[in-house]
C-alpha cells in the first residue's frame, strides 16, 4: 500500500504541473485549473489515507480499517476521476485545442463523471478505470499539443 501511495503521489505531481502550466499558457483557465487541482488534491488525500491505513490497519478495528479503505477508494477513485473528467471538459474549451480534442474530451469526461454512479451501484465501478484511462490519454495528447504550439510560437519570434 505504501508503494502504491508513493506512485500515486508521483503521478499527481505530474498532473498538478500540467494543470498549472496549462493555466499559465491559456490565461483565463480558472475553472479548468480549479477542477484539475481538485483532482490532484483528491489523489493526494487518497495517498495519505493509504499510508495511514498501512500504518494502523493491524492495530485498529475492522470498522475503522474499512472506513479508511472506503475513504481511500472514494478519494482516489470516484472523486478523483469525476474531477478529472470535469477538468478535461473545461480545459478542452480553451483556445489551445481544436474540435477533435473537444470531441475526445466529451468521450473521456462522460464515463469519468458518470463514475459517480459507482457510489450507489457497484457495477458502476467499471466506469472509474475507463474514465481515468480516457482522461489520462486526453491529458497526454493535450500536453503534447500545447508543447508543440509553444515551441512553434518561440521559433516564430
Amino acid at each position: 500500500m505504501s508503494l502504491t501511495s508513493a506512485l500515486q503521489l508521483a503521478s499527481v505531481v505530474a498532473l498538478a504541473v500540467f494543470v498549472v502550466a496549462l493555466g499559465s499558457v491559456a490565461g483565463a483557465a480558472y475553472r479548468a485549473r480549479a477542477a484539475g487541482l481538485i483532482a490532484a488534491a483528491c489523489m493526494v488525500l487518497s495517498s495519505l489515507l493509504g499510508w495511514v491505513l498501512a500504518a494502523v490497519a493491524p492495530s485498529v478495528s475492522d470498522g475503522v480499517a474499512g472506513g479508511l479503505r472506503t475513504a481511500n477508494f472514494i478519494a482516489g477513485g470516484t472523486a478523483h476521476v469525476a474531477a478529472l473528467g470535469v477538468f478535461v471538459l473545461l480545459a478542452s474549451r480553451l483556445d489551445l485545442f481544436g474540435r477533435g480534442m473537444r470531441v475526445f474530451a466529451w468521450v473521456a469526461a462522460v464515463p469519468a463523471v458518470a463514475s459517480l454512479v459507482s457510489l450507489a451501484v457497484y457495477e458502476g465501478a467499471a466506469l472509474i478505470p475507463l474514465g481515468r484511462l480516457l482522461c489520462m490519454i486526453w491529458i497526454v495528447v493535450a500536453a503534447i499539443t500545447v508543447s508543440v504550439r509553444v515551441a512553434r510560437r518561440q521559433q516564430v519570434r
Side-chain angles (χ1 to χ4, degrees), residues 17 29-30 33 54 81 84-85 95 99 110 115 117 121 137 139:
V17 166
Y30 303 114
R33 187 179 323 156
V81 173
L84 204 57
D95 291 337
R99 185 170 190 254
V110 167
S115 71
V117 77
V121 179
I137 294 169
I139 289 169

Side-chain angles (χ1 to χ4, degrees), residues 88-152:
V88 164
L89 196 57
L90 292 174
S92 73
R93 297 176 66 197
L94 300 174
D95 291 337
L96 298 167
F97 306 111
R99 185 170 190 254
M101 286 295 283
R102 288 186 183 100
V103 170
F104 183 37
W106 276 99
V107 171
V110 167
V113 174
S115 71
L116 290 170
V117 77
S118 70
L119 296 173
V121 179
Y122 176 77
E123 289 77 13
L127 294 171
I128 296 170
L130 176 63
R132 185 187 319 266
L133 180 64
L134 290 171
C135 286
M136 286 173 25
I137 294 169
W138 187 93
I139 289 169
V140 168
V141 173
I144 293 168
T145 301
V146 171
S147 297
V148 167
R149 284 187 181 218
V150 168
R152 284 183 183 161

